[in-house]
Amino acid sequence: MSRILTVAAAQLGPVARSHPRSQVVGRMLSMMEQARGNGVGLIVFPELALTTFFPRWYMEDQAAIDAFFEREMPSNETRPLFEAAARFGMGFYLGYAELTPEGRHFNTSILVDRSGRIVGKYRKIHLPGHAEHEPWRAFQHLEKRYFEVGNLGWGVWRTLGGNFGMAICNDRRWPETYRVMGLQDVEMVLLGYNTPWHNPPAPDHDRLSEFHNQLSMQGGAYANATWVVGTAKCGEEEGCKLLGNSSIIAPTGEVVARALTEDDELVIARCDLDLGLSYKKSTFNFARHRQPDQYQMIVERTGAEPPAA
Ligand code: CDT
């Protein structure tokens, strides 16, 4: 049986605050149509794909905040995506803001199979930014205010003919993200992102935004012998410039395909899910070479502590 899966990173250009979900879903559906013509079996949408990236604003009115969240999935507005998945035989990854029946808020992604069924859910663990209003910033990054830390860990699901894992945006900068999935024999990590070019607490990093995006995804792919599909929401959104460069990265660490625009764009690659095998049997044969007894500090310590004087 073929282990080739044709995958699309469905990069989205900006979504304005005034754009209703129906409009964004319409853009996503036309990308699914276009992807179908290219034989795509899995399409990956960005983080918080259905709305503008609202953590850039400080808000106190809980109803105004909750308006950016989904209370059900699928909903009336998002059901057409699930119907298209079933009609086209195309799985998808979708990032959205989740409001649970218990009133909990998460930055979430789901994995939907070719029949239009949700087979996996992930809730973002590494929440960047801050929890209080910081007016000195050109824009806010209030993920720590609006979301709880995800409570599902990093799962890996056997679907679409392979082993698939999910992460969300800032997670991609942390090697632990990929390793937890690598230890579940992940073959493809799907992730969406909204990354402002400008980082207010460290503007000296701005010129390296693209480089750090590639570095973290390529490093994660190589060290875990997995495909990584990173999909941006990008362009100038409500006055804030967001990074593009959506990429499909092979288990070799090489970029196979990358976006050229900062707008709606499909990035497509034929991915051999067996490509990581030779790495998993040699350099990164975990069972043979890892030494977890020597890694205890990784789970026991959170912040760095300098050695004793
Ligand atoms: N959405 C998100 O997680 N964005 C963060 C911005 C952090 S600034 C370095 C990211 O890691 O891309």
Side-chain angles (χ1 to χ4, degrees):
M1 207 178 120
S2 167
R3 295 264 291 154
I4 302 282
L5 179 66
T6 302
V7 175
Q11 176 174 285
L12 286 176
V15 174
R17 190 170 189 164
S18 62
H19 288 173
R21 283 167 178 73
S22 56
Q23 184 178 335
V24 184
V25 168
R27 284 162 62 183
M28 295 162 91
L29 286 172
S30 66
M31 295 177 96
M32 287 178 86
E33 289 267 8
Q34 201 188 320
R36 176 170 65 153
N38 285 276
V40 167
L42 170 65
I43 186 164
V44 181
F45 294 112
E47 172 191 35
L48 300 174
L50 300 168
T51 66
T52 198
F53 189 70
F54 62 91
R56 74 169 63 91
W57 294 303
Y58 176 72
M59 294 174 276
E60 287 181 340
D61 175 6
Q62 194 58 46
I65 297 164
D66 287 351
F68 290 101
F69 283 75
E70 311 304 311
R71 288 184 162 78
E72 49 179 358
M73 189 58 68
S75 59
N76 285 342
E77 286 133 326
T78 52
R79 190 163 291 108
L81 297 171
F82 292 76
E83 290 168 351
R87 201 162 61 248
F88 301 163
M90 186 186 298
F92 68 83
Y93 163 109
L94 172 70
Y96 65 98
E98 177 191 13
L99 177 51
T100 73
E102 301 75 38
R104 302 181 71 178
H105 297 76
F106 295 103
N107 187 340
T108 296
S109 64
I110 47 168
L111 178 58
V112 173
D113 71 9
R114 289 178 188 270
S115 70
R117 193 171 60 96
I118 297 175
V119 291
K121 179 181 274 192
Y122 169 69
R123 290 172 172 157
K124 185 174 182 179
I125 290 172
H126 295 111
L127 297 174
H130 48 113
E132 301 305 327
H133 191 207
E134 296 185 4
W136 60 267
R137 291 174 180 253
F139 50 83
Q140 304 294 297
H141 198 116
L142 286 157
E143 288 196 59
K144 286 192 192 296
R145 183 178 192 86
Y146 298 139
F147 302 114
E148 281 183 58
V149 172
N151 58 354
L152 301 176
W154 285 280
V156 171
W157 294 271
R158 207 187 274 269
T159 185
L160 294 154
N163 301 338
F164 291 81
M166 293 188 278
I168 301 179
C169 195
N170 191 260
D171 285 325
R172 73 195 187 289
R173 305 186 192 274
W174 300 88
E176 294 87 344
T177 298
Y178 304 93
R179 186 59 104 222
V180 172
M181 290 185 269
L183 287 167
Q184 298 169 78
D185 197 22
V186 75
E187 292 171 326
M188 186 174 280
V189 173
L190 316 174
L191 65 91
Y193 57 92
N194 285 264
T195 297
W197 274 95
H198 173 52
N199 185 8
D204 49 318
H205 302 181
D206 293 0
R207 71 179 182 86
L208 299 166
S209 293
E210 280 188 351
F211 171 60
H212 290 157
N213 181 46
Q214 295 302 143
L215 180 69
S216 53
M217 294 195 293
Q218 290 183 246
Y222 169 64
N224 294 280
T226 179
W227 289 89
V228 172
V229 182
T231 305
K233 176 145 67 59
C234 59
E236 187 162 338
E237 191 179 87
E238 299 290 3
C240 181
K241 286 194 167 62
L242 299 172
L243 182 74
N245 274 8
S246 300
S247 301
I248 299 178
I249 297 154
T252 58
E254 294 167 291
V255 177
V256 175
R258 189 161 80 174
L260 298 171
T261 72
E262 290 190 339
D263 215 326
D264 292 8
E265 178 180 345
L266 275 184
V267 178
I268 298 176
R270 284 179 84 248
C271 303
D272 178 358
L273 296 174
D274 283 331
L275 195 62
L277 267 183
S278 72
Y279 291 86
K280 288 179 177 177
K281 286 183 186 156
S282 59
T283 314
F284 295 126
N285 182 333
F286 287 174
R288 185 157 178 211
H289 302 303
R290 290 186 75 250
Q291 301 295 346
D293 288 353
Q294 304 302 317
Y295 307 152
Q296 271 162 325
M297 206 182 280
I298 286 179
V299 287
E300 286 172 357
R301 200 179 270 191
T302 307
E305 291 171 29

